Structure formats: C-alpha cells, structure tokens
Amino acid sequence: MKLQFAMDTLTTEHALALAAAAAPHVDILELGTPLIKSAGLSAVTAIKAAHPDKIVLADLKTMDAGELEADIAFTAGADLVTVLGSAGNSTIVGAVKAAQKHGKGIVVDLIGVADKAGRAQEVVALGVDFVEMHAGLDEQAEEGFTFATLLRDGEASGVKFSVAGGINASTIASVQRSGAAVAVAGGSIYGAPDVGAAAAELRAAII
Ligand SMILES: O=C([C@H](O)CO)[C@H](O)[C@H](O)COP(=O)(O)O
C-alpha cells in the first residue's frame, strides 16, 4: 500500500517545508485543494521540481471542464489529478483524455457520493486510474463520523481505491486490511509537532 501525504496548507513555502520533512517516508505528495486555490498551480510546479522522484497529485476536485483543468495541472507538473465522482461522465472522460495525452493519470474523488461502490465501478470503466473513498474535513467533524463505511465501500467496489478521512497511525493498518492501494493522510502528518516523525510512524504502521 502506498502512502499519500495531503498538504492542506495555504502557501507554497509551507508546502515545500512539509514535503521536505515527509518525503523520505511517503510515496505521493498531494497538493491539497486549499493550497491550489490559494497559491495556484505554480505550487505544483515547485513541489515537482523539488521532488522529481515522487508522484505529485494535484487535488483539483474538478467538477466541469475536465479536459482543460486536467491539462493545465499536468502541464504544471502533476502526475495525478483528481476529478469529482459527482461530475458528469463527459467531464471524467475529458480528464482521462488529457491524462492520456500527458501519459499521466486521473483519480476520481467520491466525496459526497452516496453510492461510492457503484460510482467507482462506473468511473473505472471510463479509464480513470483509481478512485478515492473520501470523507472530507467537514464530514469528519460531524458527530458520529466513522470511516469504517469508506473501507466497506472500497472493498465492495472491487476496483483499485485509496482512502482519505482523517487516517492516523492507529487506523492505517485497518485501511491496509481493507485492500486499499493508497492511504491518504493529511492532518495527522502536517498537524504533528514533528512532521517527519509523524510520516515515518505512519509508514512503519504499514505492514
Ligand atoms: O482532500 C482533502 C480535503 O478535502 C481538504 O482538501 C484532504 O486532503 C483529505 O481529507 C486528507 O486529509 P485528512 O482528512 O486530514 O487526513
């Protein structure tokens, strides 16, 4: 299972510092949606330049203009770009077209989708690399939140999936047991007093 570090920060400078600390322990460096909205796609270029050996994911969460948005992110240096599962199929097909042009990949984020397993099967048939079983920061803050349902949806989908939803060192093993290809961790790494140590702890918890 790969480890993806979601950098939900607001400046390229901070993202570069976070990435420098965590990179030895993670496989995928994710530029979070708030970071891209705040700093722009130049942040993607800066992270890829600093870490050419890492997979760089631009979390665009595209909802429309799939081909155009994916194209500009790939041109900026992204290896993977996210499109929302609630987008129309034509948006996803457009993003896949851009990915094929660049030799890169599309991840469909299933945040807010009720039938995650069913939609996962549909979008994989459209040519996306994998899907993300995702509960966002707001959903995580809701009373009674548990990401157990994400793991069940992933298993039920039968397709390649990542999981994101507040994963930490005590829960990452359950993510791996669910069969996830990628565990996405944001706050448990960037919110730790020692970012490198937190990333290393997550890595060590992966069997
Ligand atoms: O995608 C995310 C969210 O929508 C804000 O951009 C997060 O990166 C994702 O949820 C992972 O972060 P944590 O939940 O803090 O682990």
Side-chain angles (χ1 to χ4, degrees), residues 6 8 30 32-34 59 61 111 132 134-137 140 164-167 184-187 190:
D8 285 317
E30 173 191 331
T33 317
D59 190 17
K61 293 190 178 76
I111 188 169
E132 179 175 315
H134 186 196
L137 303 179
Q140 290 173 41
I167 291 170
V184 183
Y190 65 72

Side-chain angles (χ1 to χ4, degrees), residues 61-198:
K61 293 190 178 76
T62 288
M63 188 64 184
D64 190 17
E67 184 175 358
L68 175 62
E69 289 203 3
D71 185 64
I72 58 174
F74 290 130
T75 300
D79 300 298
L80 294 170
V81 172
T82 64
V83 178
L84 290 175
S86 50
N89 285 357
S90 56
T91 298
I92 293 169
V93 167
V96 168
K97 189 176 169 196
Q100 287 168 344
K101 182 180 125 189
H102 289 269
K104 304 293 184 182
I106 294 297
V107 179
V108 164
D109 184 341
L110 294 165
I111 188 169
V113 172
D115 178 12
K116 288 183 171 51
R119 186 62 176 146
Q121 291 163 0
E122 289 172 2
V123 300
V124 165
L126 298 177
V128 311
D129 273 32
F130 61 95
V131 299
E132 179 175 315
M133 299 294 168
H134 186 196
L137 303 179
D138 294 338
E139 186 180 343
Q140 290 173 41
E142 289 170 14
E143 206 177 312
F145 166 75
T146 165
F147 72 71
T149 50
L150 297 176
L151 306 187
R152 283 199 291 273
D153 287 340
E155 287 181 81
S157 72
V159 302
K160 184 176 176 182
F161 66 97
S162 63
V163 177
I167 291 170
N168 57 40
S170 60
T171 56
I172 195 167
S174 66
V175 176
Q176 188 173 28
R177 283 194 297 273
S178 76
V182 180
V184 183
S188 64
I189 300 178
Y190 65 72
D194 184 334
V195 167

